[in-house]
Amino acid sequence: GLRHGTEPLLQTSASARHDDCLTAVHRALGDLHLLRAFDDGVKHRVTLGLLEEHEFQPTTASCVSAHVGLLGYTLGGAAAEGKSHWSSKRWPAEDGSLSILEKALGDILDIAGFWSRKAGVVYEAAWALNRITNGSEVCLQHERLREVAGTLRALLEATNEVRALGELECLLKSPDRAG
């Protein structure tokens, strides 16, 4: 990635036919972005590639997590920039009523809802949504986002992992538990 840039990774992403390959490409793109932040043109190309319908559809949680995480990298802060951001342009597919940002938010919410029993996917989706909407009021205004987030929160609160975390937090911060 550092030597050849994003182009070979984007080509591989578009032609990938296996979850492991697509996961590796998406993680590599995310890592490359962390090492050398993508310019807006690359972010735009990566985002469009992620949102387009592909013949191959991922079937593993790790692949879907990598997908939504990469959207978090490419669209980080987009909602706060509003109409001046490239993601406010119309999504070229469907009826043209959605912006690129709205399409991405909808896809992430669909993925989070479908994969609601996989905490890793829910975490990555929540992380991406937080990055994308940070500094904006989208979280307050987007009814579906609030609905899906509330449902997922309720599901996660009932898991053994979250209950165990609560018990460990109590154990570690309570110096005087005798009694």
Side-chain angles (χ1 to χ4, degrees):
L2 285 175
R3 177 183 279 175
H4 301 289
T6 58
E7 192 57 38
L9 292 170
L10 293 173
Q11 290 173 1
T12 303
S13 177
S15 63
R17 298 288 179 263
H18 193 273
D19 281 1
D20 292 341
C21 177
L22 195 55
T23 302
V25 168
H26 288 176
R27 292 290 183 211
L29 282 165
D31 290 346
L32 184 58
H33 172 71
L34 290 174
L35 291 170
R36 186 178 6 175
F38 296 155
D39 64 33
D40 281 349
V42 172
K43 287 180 183 179
H44 190 195
R45 287 189 60 221
V46 171
T47 301
L48 292 180
L50 290 168
L51 297 177
E52 289 173 350
E53 290 295 324
H54 294 282
E55 186 177 311
F56 174 73
Q57 294 297 309
T59 59
T60 64
S62 61
C63 190
V64 174
S65 290
H67 175 89
V68 296
L70 189 51
L71 282 171
Y73 285 129
T74 61
L75 290 168
E81 290 188 40
K83 298 292 180 194
S84 65
H85 194 267
W86 56 262
S87 66
S88 67
K89 293 179 183 170
R90 292 286 143 216
W91 172 243
E94 299 163 15
D95 66 359
S97 65
L98 294 176
S99 69
I100 295 169
L101 177 61
E102 291 165 333
K103 167 74 171 146
L105 291 174
D107 283 7
I108 295 170
L109 291 170
D110 289 345
I111 288 167
F114 182 82
W115 290 86
S116 63
R117 300 286 182 201
K118 295 289 186 180
V121 175
V122 173
Y123 164 77
E124 198 96 35
W127 177 85
L129 290 167
N130 274 315
R131 281 190 53 94
I132 293 166
T133 61
N134 188 34
S136 74
E137 294 193 10
V138 169
C139 288
L140 301 174
Q141 300 165 347
H142 198 292
E143 207 170 302
R144 182 165 176 241
L145 188 150
R146 296 185 61 72
E147 178 185 316
V148 170
T151 300
L152 294 172
R153 181 179 180 186
L155 285 170
L156 287 174
E157 285 175 340
T159 65
N160 287 333
E161 291 86 354
V162 172
R163 290 196 303 261
L165 178 64
E167 291 299 326
L168 290 168
E169 286 177 345
C170 181
L171 179 68
L172 293 172
K173 70 177 164 182
S174 182
D176 183 25
R177 295 180 306 120

